Amino acid sequence: MTIAHNYLRTRVRLDNIVANYKHLCSFGGHVLAVIKADAYGHGLVETARALAGAGCDAFAIGSVAEGAALRQSGCAGAIVSLVGPVLPEDDAMVLDFDVTPFIHDFDQLARLAALAAGQGKKARVALKFDTGMARLGFCECDVPHLLETLRGMPAIEVVMASSHLATADDPNAFDFVGEQGSKFARVCQGLRDGGLTLEASLCNSAGILAHATDFGFEARRAGIALYGVNPFAGTAREPLGAGLVPAMETVTRIVSVHDLASGCSISYGRTYTAERDMRVAIVAAGYADAYSRGLSNRGYMCLAGKRVAIVGRVCMQLTAVDITGVDAAPGDVIHLLGGEGLGAITAEDLATWWETIPYEVFCLFGLNPREYC
Ligand SMILES: *Cc1c(COP(=O)(O)O)cnc(C)c1O
């Protein structure tokens, strides 16, 4: 889905995503590219093609339908769905489009096994275990019953076991990562002792950067770091994420430039009053363009390499910035994300200003018309 009829353009550097992928591969193991949610806003098909060209053979997506769309685009690699089938039509798509779903409960497993057996097909699945997220997954105590159940399901082929870390990017919570890792190691051992041959997958981006060597599980799921975000930015472990390069920038256009005299207020609610004579630019971006209203009076844009502050409330399709001292005219390009020099705005900056995480910034900015280079 793309927001139609606006001036925003989200530019994606696929070569930088590829460079990040290669960097993450250098930590070893089998790296699955997590391209769920339209590749975190960078474009599902474009991102998958670029990565496949660089040798990536396995992709993780967010739903079975997204996996089917990826398969239909011509993707030949393994497609793993991080959320498995929810509705009966999802079960059918698993088989029709050769998607390997995460399976998190017995009913889901039974439904898929019955459908696959009925069609004379084999369904490859990845078993999902909860080791501490308390979101989705079998628990450690389910392993014996799971093995027994699978023995009666010849149409199911288990190829992977996985679990997800809750605190991999928090250097103060590495103990919990260790607990999850130990629990998952016991689960995998139990499955293998029960005769299954599978890849084990625990680490996400932060796990790869900080913990992969502690565990040695063979498959790793790289998401946010593929898109150039250092999960440890601003923490004592920041150097762990060195070498990642951003791949997204978002620009828009200036609509109008005018003076704002000292004492005058600007925008809805009069939340900002000029304390000196200033010059403002009215920019074509607002919350309808996924430019959060939470940036009102807090965020910055980058104009000609300089940071310019948002003044007053972000409106539906317009936002005012203080450009005093910077030359600008209607039609000029202004960066919402990225930009030149010291004024460049990172996804981490935006996330801090609007009190979220870079993941959300990417997903939302990616809703705007995209360009690739
Ligand atoms: C999104 C997701 C990932 C990727 O996480 P990042 O922090 O972006 O690397 C890995 N595993 C699962 C289950 C996910 O949902």
Side-chain angles (χ1 to χ4, degrees):
M1 188 193 77
T2 297
I3 298 168
H5 311 304
N6 70 9
Y7 293 96
L8 279 76
R9 294 295 175 266
T10 286
R11 298 177 179 156
V12 177
R13 296 265 320 246
L14 294 170
D15 53 344
N16 285 1
I17 297 177
V18 166
N20 293 330
Y21 168 72
K22 290 182 174 159
H23 178 66
L24 291 162
C25 286
S26 74
F27 290 75
H30 181 206
V31 176
L32 280 70
V34 180
I35 54 171
K36 68 186 180 203
D38 207 13
Y40 294 41
H42 293 68
L44 176 75
V45 172
E46 294 85 350
T47 303
R49 280 195 188 135
L51 289 169
C56 180
D57 66 354
F59 302 90
I61 41 73
S63 65
V64 174
E66 196 174 27
L70 181 60
R71 183 67 78 207
Q72 281 179 300
S73 78
C75 176
I79 300 179
V80 177
S81 178
L82 297 172
V83 176
V86 178
L87 301 173
E89 57 256 43
D90 300 328
D91 296 327
M93 277 191 280
V94 163
L95 298 173
D96 291 350
F97 296 99
D98 189 16
V99 173
T100 303
F102 272 33
I103 295 291
H104 61 260
D105 73 26
F106 285 98
D107 288 346
Q108 206 186 21
L109 188 61
R111 263 195 352 243
L112 188 60
L115 189 70
Q119 293 187 10
K121 287 185 179 168
K122 246 188 170 359
R124 272 191 288 271
V125 305
L127 298 175
K128 164 100 174 173
F129 289 89
D130 171 27
T131 58
M133 268 292 273
R135 201 170 58 173
L136 291 175
F138 296 101
C139 60
E140 189 183 353
C141 61
D142 287 327
V143 169
H145 181 43
L146 199 48
L147 286 167
E148 192 188 308
T149 306
L150 286 164
R151 273 182 215 114
M153 293 178 170
I156 297 287
E157 184 189 356
V158 176
V159 295
M160 182 179 284
S162 84
S163 190
H164 195 37
L165 295 169
T167 61
D169 58 359
D170 179 356
N172 298 316
F174 281 5
D175 285 357
F176 195 68
V177 176
E179 283 175 37
Q180 287 197 260
S182 307
K183 198 179 265 191
F184 186 56
R186 289 197 300 272
V187 165
C188 293
Q189 193 57 52
L191 295 172
R192 285 172 174 147
D193 289 348
L196 297 182
T197 306
L198 45 80
E199 271 190 311
S201 172
L202 179 63
C203 289
N204 62 347
S205 297
I208 293 171
L209 297 171
H211 304 288
T213 49
D214 313 346
F215 296 130
F217 300 121
E218 37 296 286
R220 290 130 194 223
R221 307 185 303 274
I224 197 72
L226 275 182
Y227 309 103
V229 166
N230 176 358
F232 296 103
T235 75
R237 307 300 297 274
E238 187 155 343
L240 288 171
L244 298 167
V245 282
M248 181 189 284
E249 65 171 25
T250 299
V251 296
T252 186
R253 302 291 176 148
I254 290 175
V255 178
S256 165
V257 175
H258 61 77
D259 293 327
L260 187 70
S262 180
C264 288
S265 64
I266 189 163
S267 195
Y268 289 120
R270 307 186 67 201
T271 60
Y272 183 89
T273 300
E275 287 175 0
R276 52 177 164 75
D277 289 345
M278 54 198 281
R279 197 146 174 84
V280 295
I282 308 300
V283 175
Y287 54 80
D289 310 298
Y291 194 67
S292 174
R293 189 168 176 277
L295 293 165
S296 299
N297 289 309
R298 319 189 42 159
Y300 295 80
M301 298 183 193
C302 178
L303 176 62
K306 297 197 181 62
R307 285 214 170 163
V308 292
I310 294 173
V311 288
R313 285 208 183 127
V314 171
C315 307
M316 189 180 285
Q317 294 180 304
L318 295 171
T319 297
V321 286
D322 172 10
I323 61 159
T324 308
V326 189
D327 268 342
D332 283 359
V333 167
I334 187 164
H335 278 83
L336 308 179
L337 170 63
E340 319 81 29
L342 293 175
I345 289 163
T346 66
E348 289 93 334
D349 291 330
L350 279 163
T352 304
W353 298 328
W354 102 50
E355 291 178 27
T356 183
I357 49 176
Y359 298 70
E360 188 175 358
V361 172
F362 288 152
C363 290
L364 292 177
F365 279 17
L367 297 175
N368 285 288
R370 281 188 299 246
E371 293 172 350
Y372 290 90
C373 45

